[in-house]
Amino acid sequence: MRSEKRGFVDREIRDAEIRVGVSSCLLGEPVRYDGGHKHDRYLTDVLGSHFSFVAVCPEVEVGMGTPREPLRLVRDGDAIRMVGVDSGDDHTERMRKYAARRVVELETLGLSGYLLKKGSPSCGMERVRAYTARGSAAASDRGLFAAELMRRLPLLPVEEEGCLDDATVRENFIERVFAYKRVADLFSGRWTTGELVAFHTREKMLVCAHAPTAEKELGRIVAGAGRAARGAVAQSYTSVFMAALGKPATTRRNVNVLQHMLGHFRDVLEPAPRRALASIIEDYRNALVPLVVPITLLRHYVDLHSVGYLAHQTYLEPHPKELMLRNHV
Ligand code: SF4
């Protein structure tokens, strides 16, 4: 019954191919400088059922081979260079040219997210060790490939594999991957203002859990959509939407959203089950139960009483429940 009532959202999430770029070594491919890998089991065994991975090893693809001399970043004033640790050979320009070309190719694949290998002078997203020409520590930087990826695709959800160990960051990253896919799908076709209004209505509660002020800003973009250039509307809506979801959904904001949803039951639920729901929301506020508990109960009542507006809220299932991401936040 639930999938019939909430079928639109469910099918949209589950049936579409969601492509996520990944540093090849995280998938177990033996591409590291020493011929090894950094296989991340969560990636292949859990996320692999929901995402299609596009594996990229910049160092192999640029032609360095495996095994190869390890590389490091060397800071030269404001400039950052990529050099061989022993030989000092400079690979900066070669890597930059490759990265510019490869990222354009990746853009055409319609990626919805990217997971990078931490600490790599090519793939590291942040805090990659850098050195002075003499070999002492210098201010850290971003790997060269990662820098080009994030420069060219600034709205794409990108994280390092270490984020998967932190339940909150993991949930946020995966939520953003699914969200990016939804918003990209909306604007990839000949969308109408009505479709944008419907999209915004479905995403409202989810955005409110992250950034209530952004929800208002998105509302203004939607309200003016009929009078503005289509490209500008798509660009500004996507950019505010993704920036909003990038802000952590706090307990307080989740409680606000849950209580707002509870308000929709005023005329359909008896006082006793309403009190039970309110009490579970308080338990969540006090960290006695994870978010999945009030959400599950809410969904149960939404289905039971066919509360139309809530039934289509992405907030109730922003990613497949099999991933169990809200069991730990
Ligand atoms: S970190 Fe990046 S460049 Fe290094 S082995 Fe993994 S995929 Fe290749």
Side-chain angles (χ1 to χ4, degrees), residues 3 8 15 40 54 83 90 95 98 113 115 125 144-145 156 158 179 218 225 240 272 274 285 300 318 323 326 328:
S3 60
F8 186 88
D15 293 351
D40 188 307
V54 177
V83 302
D90 193 326
M95 179 56 82
Y98 153 81
L115 266 167
M125 180 177 123
L144 293 195
F145 175 78
L156 184 74
V158 178
L218 290 169
V240 176
R274 266 211 330 267
R285 187 207 296 276
H300 167 72
L323 288 172
R326 284 171 158 180
H328 310 285

Side-chain angles (χ1 to χ4, degrees), residues 21 31 47 128 132 162 177 182 201 299-300 304 324:
V31 290
L47 296 185
V128 179
T132 64
V177 169
R182 292 194 299 276
T201 305
R299 274 178 27 191
H300 167 72
L304 199 63
M324 298 192 293

